[in-house]
Every structure is written in structure tokens, then in C-alpha cells.
Amino acid sequence: MHSKKTVLAAAFAAVAALTLSACGSGSDPATDDSVAEVSSDAGSEPATVLDQPFTKPGLVLTDTHGKKYDLREQTKGKPTLIYFGYTNCPDVCPLTMSNIAIAKRALPEADQDKLQVVFVTTDPERDTPASLGSWLKAQDPGFTGLTGDFQAIQAGARQIGIGIDPPKKEKDGTVVSMHGAQVIAFSPKTDKGYVLYSEDTTAEDYTEDLPELIKGETP
């Protein structure tokens, strides 16, 4: 197993709120040559075990089928990974989802069915249920995508130490979204978020940890 460090959830939240990834995407994808500017992470280890785990955020949003989705109710008692990002992100978001998808495919089918991967958009104005659904389907058809009111999403992210700024359009037409790039794993036993993964986490890291996360154990 790769090494982990342990921190207090409150201490992590204070740092993570200042640790955002700037993902830029131009208004015309065909001519867009922007890249993401990634800030330094709170730590160098791929995974951080939280000494005081987070409570799952009370988010009620809309899924990719246009239906109401209560995050707490619909993931209750299930191993859950939560990530906040957006589909027009040129690198960090798709890489994170791809790494998780690769690791998920390495699991036995029964464990694949148990694992809940929830992607909450930080750009709900552009990420409609249909566009979000199409993007996630290319990553893994089993992933859940959620969209809705930006302020509700921002407040929910803050509950687990993830900072999000409203998408901003630059003078050159580039849309920049600032968001924390951490993935938080919630235990099926307690529904608490107790392991945090940085944007540097590889597919191999997730592959190593997922079997234990699914059992509610600390990897």
C-alpha cells in the first residue's frame, strides 16, 4: 500500500478552500488552446486519511435523466466517491474520472455495482443533464452526474472542504472555473468521508485502494 498521512478534517478544509484548480476552456472548442493552471496541492501523498471525517453533504440536485437526486439518501450505505468538476475542463477533471473508471473496471463485477461515483458539476449553466450525461457515459455509464443551482452546489462542496468559485469569462472569451480537485471517499459503514485523494492520484493508486474502500476499511 502507498503511504498515507492523517490530518484533521477541519485543518484540511482550511487548506483545501485555498487550493483550487483553474480550468480554462474557450468558447470555441475548435480553436481553444487553453490549458489548466493547477495550484500546488495541500500535500504530496495521493491519499490523506481524515482523523475526523466529513459528513456527507445534504445536496438535492438533478441527475443526468432530469430526475431529483438526494445525495445522502441515494448513496446511503454504499461506498461513494464524490468529485466536483465540470465537463469543459481540458485536463484535470477528465483525467480524474478516467483514472477512477480504470480502477473500477479492475474490480469484481459485484463490487463495481456497489461503488457509487458521483460527479457534481461546478458549471451548471453549461453542464445540462443531457450534456453531463453524454460526457460521463464516455467515462463510465455507471457514474452519476449531478447539476442544479450553483449556490447550492457551492454550499454542498464547502461542507466537505472543497472550494468553488463561479465560472468567469475572461476578455479573450475563455471561461475559467476554479474548483478544488480532490476526490473524497465515503464509507458504506458510516456514510462519513474519511479518505481524500489529491489530483495527483493515479489509476494505480485507486486500483490499490478501491477494494478496501468498498469494504469500509481505511486503505
Side-chain angles (χ1 to χ4, degrees), residues 80-151:
T80 304
L81 302 180
I82 296 178
Y83 181 78
F84 289 81
Y86 72 119
T87 65
N88 285 282
C89 175
D91 44 25
V92 178
C93 301
L95 178 60
T96 298
M97 289 294 99
S98 175
N99 285 340
I100 294 173
I102 290 169
K104 179 185 171 184
R105 288 195 292 271
L107 292 168
E109 189 171 342
D111 284 347
Q112 290 187 41
D113 293 339
K114 292 176 185 176
L115 181 65
Q116 305 297 300
V117 179
V118 181
F119 180 97
V120 185
T121 182
T122 61
D123 185 13
E125 185 174 337
R126 290 188 294 171
D127 283 343
T128 63
S131 63
L132 182 56
S134 177
W135 186 83
L136 281 175
K137 187 177 181 180
Q139 299 282 355
D140 186 300
F143 287 177
T144 296
L146 301 179
T147 187
D149 177 72
F150 177 81
Q151 291 185 335

Side-chain angles (χ1 to χ4, degrees), residues 13 54-59 72 152-162:
F54 286 117
T55 297
K56 195 174 291 181
L59 279 170
R72 285 181 179 169
I153 292 170
Q154 187 180 49
R158 191 179 296 122
Q159 292 175 31
I160 54 174
I162 304 294

